Each structure stands twice: as C-alpha cells, then as structure tokens.
Amino acid sequence: MRKAIKTALALLLCAGLLSGCKQTTYETEHSTVFIQKDGTVISTDVEDFDANTYDENGLKRYIEDAIAAYNKSGDELVHMEKLTVAEGKATLVLNYASAEHYAAFNGVELYTGPVSKALSDGYSFDAEFADVSNGSPVACRVSDFIGSNYQVAIIRGSNINVSVPGTIVYLSAQNTAFEGKSTVAIREGTHLLGKTGDGTSPETESTEPQDTEGSQMDEEDMPEIDEDILSVEEDTEVFFEFGGDIPQQPEQEKHPHSGAEDTGYTYIIYKTK
C-alpha cells in the first residue's frame, strides 16, 4: 500500500497537481526571464506599485490593450498569465510564443539558439568569459566553447535575471552574477570574476561581426495610456512599458546586434537537460 501511495504522489507531481517535475509557477522576487526548452519565453516582471499613484484596474486595462494591439494578427503571440498587486509590488507574468516576440514586445534584445547559429547570425562573442561548470567561475577563452553543440541565450539588458532550460557552463563576466546552475543575475557594475570598474580582461577570441540595424517597435501601434493609470505628477514612471509589432526584416537581419563590439550583451552558454 505504501508503495502504491508513493507511486500515486509521483504521478501527481509530474502532472503538475503538486510542485514537481515541471515548473508551473514563475513567482520570483526579482524580474526574471524564463527561457523554455520549446522556444517559448515566460517573463515575470516585479515593480514597485504605489496604490496612491497608480490604479490597479487601469494598469490591467493598459496591459490587456498592449497585448491586444500586438496580437492584432489573430495569433496569440503574447498571453498574460496573471497580474497581481500586493504589499506595494505589482507582479506581471507574460507568456511569449518565442524569444523574438519577447524582444519585440519589450524592446529588449533577446536571442536563443545553438552557439553555431548565433555566430552565423552575427554575434561576435566579443566578451570576457568564465567557466562556471564546477560552480565557481574561472576565466576561460571563447575557443573553449565556440565549436561546441551548446545552446546560448543572449540578452542586452540590465537589472534582470535570466533562467535557462539546462545547466550553465560558460558565462560572460561583465555585469553578471552566477545565481545557480540555471540562473544568472544581470546587474550593472558587477563582475563574475570579481573585477571592479572596466578592469583589464584576459585575451579573448572572437569572430568578425556583421553590422545590422537594431529593431525598434512602432510606438503608434501601442494603446494610449489610460488616464486612470497615473495621476499627473512629476517623476512618475509607467510600469511595464512595451513595444509594438515586429518590424519586417530581411532574413539575415532577424537577430540584429550592435556591430563592432557587443557592448552591453550578456552571453549564457548552457547544455540542455
């Protein structure tokens, strides 16, 4: 009987009825991008929320309108999982059909795919890297992984966490902190190898970059901000600002980047489970 109960519990865990085999919630104290193995992306955005300044219902309407404007083709490219407001924080969980749609909707560049594909798409890996496969970061060269069959997540942003569907093996050192085998914290001014300021980086290897134009969303496609969302005060910010439609680009420009130097990019090289 005890064995039968244990088997039933295991089945419930894997079915998601209890916590277990597959992550079904994306609650976190810090804004995080969760890259999924199937190519989809889930983001949890956590922002301060002053109930005396902002209206929760107005904020919800704005987000729903932004999503509807983006999904005007009829496809559910972006979906709101939930929006909660509690203890002075607003938490928004969105589901995206792909990394490209996350990038287009938020105006934050995000790329996922094999390392070899990233190279062919123009990313130069021109950065200082650390090997984190043993849990402690050790300086390494790009040649240690450039010919591998690893996956890579590349993001150009700050003050955000990124979770990948596998074990991180190599990580660009500038502005990063290793939070665990699958998670990276991107914080401006930090350094994975303990350096401060610009420092001096060990010799790294790179491929020739390809210059492309960066993509930007059309602001005219976005809904106007409801007056109920904000009171008219100086120095207030709108939470969860979004972009618009994905611009039509030639195939070779699908994943634009900065050109000569990948300044501001975080590279997360990982092996899938």
Side-chain angles (χ1 to χ4, degrees):
M1 178 64 70
R2 185 177 181 183
K3 182 177 180 180
I5 293 174
K6 290 175 67 177
T7 302
L9 285 172
L11 292 173
L12 288 172
L13 287 170
C14 289
L17 298 179
L18 299 175
S19 61
C21 298
K22 183 178 180 180
Q23 183 173 358
T24 56
T25 62
Y26 298 89
E27 296 181 1
T28 178
E29 294 182 357
H30 198 282
S31 295
T32 302
V33 177
F34 297 91
I35 297 168
Q36 308 296 294
K37 195 171 183 178
D38 63 1
T40 60
V41 173
I42 294 175
S43 69
T44 299
D45 291 298
V46 183
E47 300 285 355
D48 291 330
F49 189 92
D50 184 353
N52 295 320
T53 303
Y54 296 91
D55 175 70
E56 181 178 349
N57 292 327
L59 176 59
K60 183 178 180 180
R61 287 197 302 273
Y62 171 66
I63 295 169
E64 291 173 339
D65 288 346
I67 292 173
Y70 190 86
N71 291 337
K72 65 183 180 181
S73 66
D75 296 324
E76 194 174 47
L77 304 174
V78 180
H79 171 73
M80 182 166 64
E81 298 288 344
K82 69 175 182 178
L83 171 66
T84 58
V85 175
E87 298 180 353
K89 296 286 184 181
T91 301
L92 172 65
V93 181
L94 297 180
N95 192 318
Y96 305 85
S98 69
E100 289 180 342
H101 290 297
Y102 171 88
F105 190 74
N106 292 281
V108 175
E109 188 174 343
L110 176 66
Y111 177 96
T112 61
V115 170
S116 58
K117 184 68 165 55
L119 282 167
S120 66
D121 283 336
Y123 289 97
S124 71
F125 291 79
D126 185 12
E128 181 181 3
F129 283 88
D131 182 336
V132 295
S133 59
N134 291 323
S136 298
V138 178
C140 68
R141 294 175 176 270
V142 176
S143 57
D144 291 342
F145 62 82
I146 209 66
S148 70
N149 59 357
Y150 292 139
Q151 299 289 307
V152 62
I154 305 170
I155 189 168
R156 192 176 191 183
S158 61
N159 197 34
I160 194 168
N161 290 3
V162 179
S163 176
V164 297
T167 301
I168 300 171
V169 185
Y170 299 95
L171 181 60
S172 56
Q174 188 68 36
N175 299 326
T176 61
F178 188 47
E179 295 290 299
K181 67 177 185 178
S182 299
T183 305
V184 174
I186 303 173
R187 304 289 185 273
E188 188 173 351
T190 62
H191 198 287
L192 190 61
L193 297 173
K195 296 183 180 181
T196 59
D198 292 336
T200 57
S201 300
E203 182 181 352
T204 58
E205 302 165 30
S206 65
T207 58
E208 288 298 321
Q210 304 168 5
D211 291 327
T212 57
E213 295 290 332
S215 61
Q216 193 68 30
M217 313 325 303
D218 295 329
E219 294 183 0
E220 62 185 16
D221 288 334
M222 298 310 302
E224 294 183 0
I225 299 175
D226 195 307
E227 292 181 357
D228 292 336
I229 298 177
L230 299 177
S231 63
V232 180
E233 298 181 9
E234 285 189 0
D235 299 325
T236 58
E237 298 179 357
V238 179
F239 298 118
F240 313 129
E241 295 186 16
F242 307 120
D245 294 335
I246 294 180
Q248 296 299 316
Q249 300 180 28
E251 183 67 21
Q252 68 271 19
E253 295 183 0
K254 185 182 295 185
H255 308 294
H257 63 90
S258 62
E261 293 183 2
D262 283 347
T263 305
Y265 285 84
T266 296
Y267 291 87
I268 307 166
I269 293 90
Y270 64 97
K271 58 184 178 181
T272 55
K273 298 176 181 178

